[in-house]
Amino acid sequence: MAEDWDVRTRLVQAEADSEEGAPLNTPLVLSTTFRAQPDGVGFSAEDLGDESPYFYARWSTPTVRTLERRLAELEGGEDALCFASGMAAITGLLLHLLGPGDHLVISDVCYAGAAEFVRGKLRRFGVEVSIVDTSDLAQVRAALRPTTRLVYIETPCNPILKLTDVEAVAALAREAGARLAVDATLATPMGLQPLALGADFVIHSLTKYIGGHGDALGGVVVGRRTDLAALRQDSLIHLGAVLSPFPAWLILRSLPTLPQRMASHAATALEVATFLETHPRVHHVLYPGLESHPQAELARRQLRNTSGMIAFQAKDAPAVARRLAERLKVVKYAVSLGKPHSLIFYLPTEDMQRTSFQHPPELLERYRAWAGDGIFRLSIGLEAPRDLIRDLDQALKP
Ligand SMILES: *Cc1c(COP(=O)(O)O)cnc(C)c1O
């Protein structure tokens, strides 16, 4: 592809469309096995080489491979490896990199599934875990040890939209001889390019903005070719949580519209967040694109698109949550994010702490200082800002 093409141009180019009769869209290949040679690829995952032909669908398939190449290109990485879901990408990477005696430093607030997995199962495998507020560089510095193998952050973090300075944490990790993994699902490649800031691995739940249509689960890890070849052999093939060709094909279909969708999500989110900031029933709106975000300077410096996620607190939140679920018409009361539909969900601090986070007192205090007794997580869809604002306004009325 031409080096100087804008990302919008690159995303609509097919892989090999220069021959006469070549399809402009990527074909969907649904085959679980591929013709082999007796002296070709060996039977074990360990025999898999960089240039091996397709062999069995748990190793790799053409449609998924096309998606991997395009996601690597989009992130500015050497290669990418897709998984069946964002969680499969996260657990696959952690189980590959960490073993007994290894030390992990992880953000105190990250995707609930990741927080629960690390706190429970990963510790059971003998991995030492330090859970720290990675938005505070002094905490990261103090947590690093000679045995630290990985620093894991999520920015902006789900659900409270706190940011971590990727460049600064990458420098600290490098000094300590540790790798850095960044879950950038909320930012998307349109907002943040962690590899360019010094990260070793970028993770996305493709289920969210990259898939973007609410009809496919998927996950990806992007990074160096040698790292990902090892991850494929050691983790993906044996854990078996591979992405199937059909969701891969749906996600490929979504890529050309990603820049336009993200521009729309972010512009509408800024309008809705600005409206919520002045609403008498609402207080403490958190949106990285607002000047009032406590890390607005970092957001300006590191996020090229501030995405479509808003978090806010409301007076008498449990009653407001019931009213919103009953009265909202345009916005749907449902979990998840990054869809055409706007979605809202209430996350009480007590519930989040009892189940997902279980923070010790010092971290609990930091969580409460940011999220209060609970936050509404609002994922802005592709609807018109005016309709969303009217819908929220009528539903927030007592
Ligand atoms: C949803 C999400 C995940 C998990 O992705 P799934 O595809 O649902 O497994 C991981 N990280 C973040 C930030 C998410 O929002």
Side-chain angles (χ1 to χ4, degrees):
M1 277 194 201
E3 291 280 315
D4 62 344
W5 281 347
D6 183 274
V7 64
R8 289 168 296 184
T9 312
R10 283 187 277 127
L11 282 173
V12 296
Q13 301 306 311
E15 281 243 310
D17 62 2
S18 52
E19 286 164 42
E20 188 178 357
L24 287 182
N25 282 6
T26 306
L28 170 59
V29 179
L30 293 173
S31 186
T32 55
T33 193
F34 300 84
R35 197 182 272 261
Q37 292 283 338
D39 49 2
V41 182
F43 194 65
S44 162
E46 310 205 340
D47 295 324
L48 187 72
D50 239 14
E51 299 300 318
S52 297
Y54 296 109
F55 179 65
Y56 179 56
R58 189 154 38 77
W59 276 222
S60 183
T61 54
T63 312
V64 175
R65 196 65 195 127
T66 301
L67 178 61
E68 288 171 345
R69 288 206 194 91
R70 307 205 76 184
L71 291 171
E73 214 252 342
L74 187 57
E75 277 291 354
E78 286 178 7
D79 207 350
L81 189 61
C82 283
F83 290 77
S85 67
M87 270 309 292
I90 294 167
T91 56
L93 183 67
L94 293 176
L95 290 170
H96 168 60
L97 290 177
L98 300 166
D102 289 335
H103 179 235
L104 166 72
V105 175
I106 184 167
S107 292
D108 59 343
V109 184
C110 51
Y111 182 69
E116 290 172 22
F117 175 78
V118 163
R119 200 166 34 67
K121 303 251 182 338
L122 203 58
R123 277 190 169 138
R124 236 173 44 207
F125 292 136
V127 176
E128 313 252 341
V129 180
S130 294
I131 301 171
V132 302
D133 181 351
T134 52
S135 75
D136 180 345
L137 296 175
Q139 290 240 327
V140 177
R141 199 176 288 113
L144 291 165
R145 305 176 190 166
T147 54
T148 307
R149 279 210 69 191
L150 181 69
V151 178
Y152 180 102
I153 62 175
E154 184 178 308
T155 184
C157 77
N158 187 357
I160 64 173
L161 310 181
K162 210 183 226 189
L163 309 180
T164 289
D165 185 335
V166 177
E167 200 169 15
V169 171
L172 289 176
R174 203 176 315 116
E175 252 170 60
R179 322 293 295 279
L180 174 65
V182 181
D183 182 340
T185 297
L186 266 54
T188 83
M190 295 301 114
L192 185 68
Q193 302 232 289
L195 299 176
L197 297 174
D200 299 284
F201 300 97
V202 185
I203 298 165
H204 290 285
S205 165
L206 302 172
T207 315
K208 312 296 170 53
Y209 291 106
I210 295 180
H213 291 69
D215 52 12
L217 280 172
V220 71
V221 178
V222 189
R224 286 180 203 91
R225 186 166 290 116
T226 48
D227 287 338
L228 295 188
L231 182 64
R232 186 188 294 276
Q233 269 189 11
D234 177 63
S235 187
L236 179 76
I237 292 177
H238 288 148
L239 296 177
V242 294
L243 183 63
S244 288
F246 186 56
W249 183 81
L250 289 171
I251 296 161
L252 274 164
R253 165 219 52 182
S254 302
L255 289 185
T257 56
L258 183 66
Q260 286 84 354
R261 285 187 284 112
M262 292 316 297
S264 173
H265 285 301
T268 306
L270 181 60
E271 275 194 58
V272 174
T274 304
F275 155 77
L276 289 171
E277 261 197 322
T278 59
H279 198 283
R281 301 266 128 206
V282 171
H283 61 110
H284 204 62
V285 178
L286 290 160
Y287 177 65
L290 285 177
E291 269 313 302
S292 60
H293 189 283
Q295 298 160 295
E297 186 277 323
L298 176 59
R300 266 196 306 278
R301 185 152 47 85
Q302 256 169 31
L303 297 177
R304 283 177 307 177
N305 173 295
T306 45
S307 197
M309 299 302 297
I310 300 169
F312 66 89
Q313 295 173 36
K315 293 157 198 154
D316 198 12
V320 171
R322 282 191 296 276
R323 274 212 304 281
L324 292 179
E326 263 171 36
R327 292 190 197 164
L328 284 170
K329 292 193 181 74
V330 182
V331 181
K332 313 295 177 209
Y333 193 87
V335 288
S336 202
L337 59 106
K339 324 274 167 190
H341 320 83
S342 290
L343 307 172
I344 196 164
F345 203 77
Y346 179 55
L347 299 161
T349 294
E350 207 181 317
D351 286 5
M352 294 300 288
Q353 287 294 336
R354 183 174 43 77
T355 53
S356 301
F357 297 132
Q358 300 185 12
H359 286 147
E362 199 255 344
L363 289 178
L364 175 61
E365 207 174 296
R366 282 174 187 252
Y367 188 93
R368 271 199 189 283
W370 190 276
D373 289 337
I375 50 149
F376 290 87
R377 184 183 65 183
L378 174 57
S379 169
I380 294 297
L382 296 171
E383 306 92 339
R386 185 199 64 166
D387 298 331
L388 292 172
I389 288 170
R390 282 188 191 164
D391 194 36
L392 287 162
D393 195 31
Q394 64 80 20
L396 282 166
K397 283 203 174 70

